[in-house]
Amino acid sequence: MGRDHKGSGFNINDAAGRDARPAGRSRSLDYDKLSAVMRSLAIKAGARIMEIYEADDFEVRAKADDSPVTEADLAADGIISAGLRAAFPEFPLVTEEQATTHEQSVDTFLIVDPLDGTKEFVHRRGDFTVNIALVENGEPSRGVVYAPAKKRMFLTDATGAAFEEIGDLDPEMPGEMRPIRVAQSNNDALLVVASKSHRDAATDAYIGKYAVADMRSAGSSLKFCLVATGEADLYPRVGRTMEWDTAAGHAVLRGAGGRVVRFDDHAPLRYGKPGFANPFFIAHAPDVQLRTA
């Protein structure tokens, strides 16, 4: 889009052998292995999701909270959870589709939404993603967001830097890794992205406090990635989300130089909260001058 961006990132293939882990992080974790495993599992799960998506029909049923779940959610969850548990058996795993995992009290863990944007999937709109993330000490530090219908993959490398992968997206062979970075925002002409399925009057009222040059809608965690690539400056969410909805996109945005803060006091959004429920939040490039709620 021709916008100014902040600096450049790292090459994912140069991360091996570098100790870029912040103090207090999981020193025993092999971040190169983690990055490779999360990427591979996301692509494999995405392939299974697309098999179901492209079928003539698929089953949709309601969960206890009345949100939809499909056979694609469950199939993708099976692939990802089995792969993560095999590769990292020592790490707690929280996944949307396994209610027993929601009872844990943890601040360092793996977290999965195997099909974020189920409503987009059901209506065949394409804006759905596979989300896998690592949370360390309450902060998302590594993540993968894969949109299989759009063939877009956003991920962090072993250092936590953010990239978009370009190419065939082979699960075993990484392609070109293009560094991504948030834009240098113009507060007199902001680009805003909002939810495609959950936009409401409260969201519009908050967006109305800014000087907006353009507005777009997107589904699932793609909204975080649009801020991470500089395609948007601001994503406010005035509505219910869970940590598995946001952790992977948050990690990618963080790796691109962006921030995610609570809507009420602009404190950093933390993870490992009781029940893994989020407050309202704002994802943004750091140059955006945030307005009060």
Side-chain angles (χ1 to χ4, degrees):
M1 297 179 63
R3 309 187 70 204
D4 292 332
H5 290 71
K6 293 180 179 291
S8 61
F10 300 91
N11 188 311
I12 196 168
N13 296 315
D14 291 341
R18 289 219 301 264
D19 188 1
R21 305 177 189 101
R25 298 305 173 97
S26 303
R27 307 295 298 184
S28 62
L29 178 60
D30 184 337
Y31 290 91
D32 293 285
K33 176 182 176 182
L34 175 71
S35 297
V37 168
M38 290 198 304
R39 176 191 171 277
S40 178
L41 290 174
I43 294 171
K44 291 175 181 177
R48 181 68 184 113
I49 287 169
M50 291 307 296
E51 289 177 3
I52 297 169
Y53 184 71
E54 292 167 352
D56 292 335
D57 195 15
F58 48 78
E59 180 185 0
V60 182
R61 54 188 176 83
K63 294 191 285 189
D65 62 359
D66 289 330
S67 62
V69 63
T70 72
E71 57 187 294
D73 295 80
L74 302 178
D77 184 67
I79 292 168
I80 297 168
S81 60
L84 290 176
R85 285 181 172 126
F88 306 102
E90 72 280 15
F91 269 81
L93 175 64
V94 177
T95 174
E96 178 181 12
E97 303 307 336
Q98 298 178 35
T100 56
T101 68
H102 307 171
E103 300 168 1
Q104 301 175 83
S105 178
V106 288
D107 68 358
T108 296
F109 55 99
L110 296 162
I111 187 163
V112 175
D113 188 343
L115 178 50
D116 182 29
T118 301
K119 290 181 180 178
E120 308 301 324
F121 177 90
V122 169
H123 293 103
R124 299 183 189 271
R125 289 197 286 250
D127 275 14
F128 51 84
T129 56
V130 178
N131 297 343
I132 309 173
L134 170 69
V135 172
E136 295 180 282
N137 300 321
E139 183 177 26
S141 65
R142 309 293 188 279
V144 174
V145 175
Y146 177 39
K150 293 183 173 294
K151 301 189 185 306
R152 295 193 76 176
M153 164 78 82
F154 305 91
L155 69 168
T156 59
D157 70 358
T159 73
F163 297 81
E164 180 172 6
E165 181 173 345
I166 310 299
D168 295 334
L169 301 178
D170 184 314
E172 308 305 331
M173 182 64 64
E176 176 190 351
M177 295 292 173
R178 182 176 300 167
I180 58 176
R181 202 70 181 165
V182 294
Q184 292 181 317
S185 305
N186 177 358
N187 283 279
D188 293 323
L190 293 175
L191 304 183
V192 178
V193 62
S195 176
K196 183 172 286 187
S197 298
H198 303 282
R199 178 107 169 249
D200 58 14
T203 302
D204 288 340
Y206 183 71
I207 292 170
K209 298 184 177 189
Y210 294 87
V212 177
D214 194 19
M215 170 84 68
R216 65 187 296 182
S217 296
S220 68
S221 55
L222 284 172
K223 296 181 284 294
F224 290 96
C225 300
L226 294 176
V227 180
T229 59
E231 295 171 69
D233 300 295
L234 178 69
Y235 160 40
R237 182 56 185 262
V238 188
R240 180 180 183 271
T241 62
M242 306 299 289
E243 292 184 11
W244 45 78
D245 297 315
T246 61
H250 188 160
V252 169
L253 178 55
R254 176 177 173 271
R259 300 171 183 165
V260 184
V261 299
R262 293 174 59 102
F263 189 79
D264 53 4
D265 61 6
H266 297 172
L269 182 65
R270 304 285 297 174
Y271 288 73
K273 301 180 293 296
F276 301 96
N278 284 327
F280 300 166
F281 65 82
I282 307 165
H284 65 100
D287 288 341
V288 175
Q289 297 170 1
L290 294 181
R291 304 294 191 249
T292 57

